[in-house]
């Protein structure tokens, strides 16, 4: 087995990977997150985003992880995650059944001459101004990856100082 192959994956066709969104509900206990990450690491999961937050249940974390892998690879991963003691529930969301969003904070260079243009452009994407200084404007935008990427791309001409992105959060429709 070569270094890039994984157990159970040698017969998966090359290029058969696609994005899968897993939502994992985990007991909020010491070491639980470490055990989840260890499974992802051991299975060599090709993670695109990994987001952790509180769930609607007390003492339960909601982990949303987007993985680029074959169907077989994700099913093996899900079975391994189910064996982790603190895992309560796992859902492999299908894109047609999923509502997902990402949050980004974007700090853009902005003097008085360009501030109005930056703010007007941001409003076209549904972004909100969260901070203004004499040299910068900080924007908050939520949406799918394409929307965030397009706004970042258009703001490049003004000079982006910093971008902070959350990764995806998702749920079923």
């Amino acid at each position: 087995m070569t270094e890039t192959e994984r157990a159970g994956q040698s017969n998966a066709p090359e290029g058969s990977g696609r994005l899968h969104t897993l939502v994992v509900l985990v007991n909020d206990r010491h070491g639980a997150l470490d055990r989840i990450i260890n499974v992802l690491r051991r299975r060599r999961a090709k993670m695109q985003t990994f987001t952790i937050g509180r769930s609607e249940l007390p003492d339960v974390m909601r982990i949303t992880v987007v993985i680029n892998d074959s169907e077989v690879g994700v099913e093996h991963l899900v079975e391994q995650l189910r064996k982790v003691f603190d895992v309560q529930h796992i859902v492999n969301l299908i894109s047609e059944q999923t509502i997902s969003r990402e949050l980004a904070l974007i700090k853009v260079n902005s003097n008085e001459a360009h501030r109005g243009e930056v703010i007007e452009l941001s409003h076209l994407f549904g972004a909100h101004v969260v901070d203004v200084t004499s040299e910068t404007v900080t924007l908050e935008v939520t949406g799918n990856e394409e929307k965030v990427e397009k706004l970042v791309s258009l703001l490049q001409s003004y000079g982006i100082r910093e971008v902070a992105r959350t990764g995806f959060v998702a749920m079923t429709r």
Side-chain angles (χ1 to χ4, degrees):
M1 189 176 336
T2 67
E3 188 175 329
T4 58
E5 289 180 358
R6 293 175 292 173
Q9 297 301 300
S10 58
N11 56 359
E14 185 68 30
S16 65
R18 66 179 184 89
L19 291 180
H20 297 267
T21 303
L22 300 180
V23 175
V24 185
L25 296 179
V26 181
N27 293 327
D28 189 4
R29 295 187 344 183
H30 183 71
L33 183 59
D34 291 337
R35 288 186 281 280
I36 298 295
I37 291 172
N38 281 336
V39 170
L40 293 168
R41 192 191 81 243
R42 279 194 317 267
R43 294 292 308 164
R44 294 188 183 107
K46 301 171 190 164
M47 291 183 286
Q48 305 298 305
T49 67
F50 186 92
T51 309
I52 305 165
R54 297 187 189 279
S55 74
E56 67 280 7
L57 304 170
D59 300 321
V60 175
M61 295 183 297
R62 180 184 187 96
I63 299 171
T64 306
V65 59
V66 178
I67 299 170
N68 185 359
D69 209 340
S70 69
E71 195 70 38
V72 173
V74 170
E75 289 306 317
H76 281 115
L77 178 62
V78 168
E79 289 307 314
Q80 292 299 311
L81 287 169
R82 284 194 173 118
K83 294 177 184 178
V84 175
F85 177 75
D86 290 307
V87 171
Q88 287 190 2
H89 187 66
I90 302 173
V91 179
N92 183 357
L93 298 175
I94 299 168
S95 61
E96 295 81 31
Q97 300 172 334
T98 305
I99 300 169
S100 63
R101 293 291 179 266
E102 180 177 13
L103 167 76
L105 295 174
I106 309 165
K107 187 184 294 185
V108 183
N109 289 330
S110 175
N111 55 29
E112 285 189 36
H114 292 64
R115 186 166 294 125
E117 293 174 32
V118 169
I119 292 171
E120 187 176 323
L121 178 61
S122 71
H123 287 303
L124 293 174
F125 286 82
H128 303 283
V129 176
V130 293
D131 188 51
V132 177
T133 69
S134 60
E135 298 177 355
T136 64
V137 172
T138 304
L139 308 168
E140 171 190 306
V141 63
T142 59
N144 60 31
E145 183 179 18
E146 294 80 25
K147 177 181 175 180
V148 174
E149 289 291 336
K150 182 70 174 173
L151 180 57
V152 168
S153 172
L154 291 172
L155 290 170
Q156 290 289 351
S157 63
Y158 296 99
I160 293 179
R161 288 200 182 179
E162 190 174 358
V163 177
R165 294 172 72 162
T166 61
F168 289 102
V169 291
M171 63 174 48
T172 58
R173 291 185 177 269

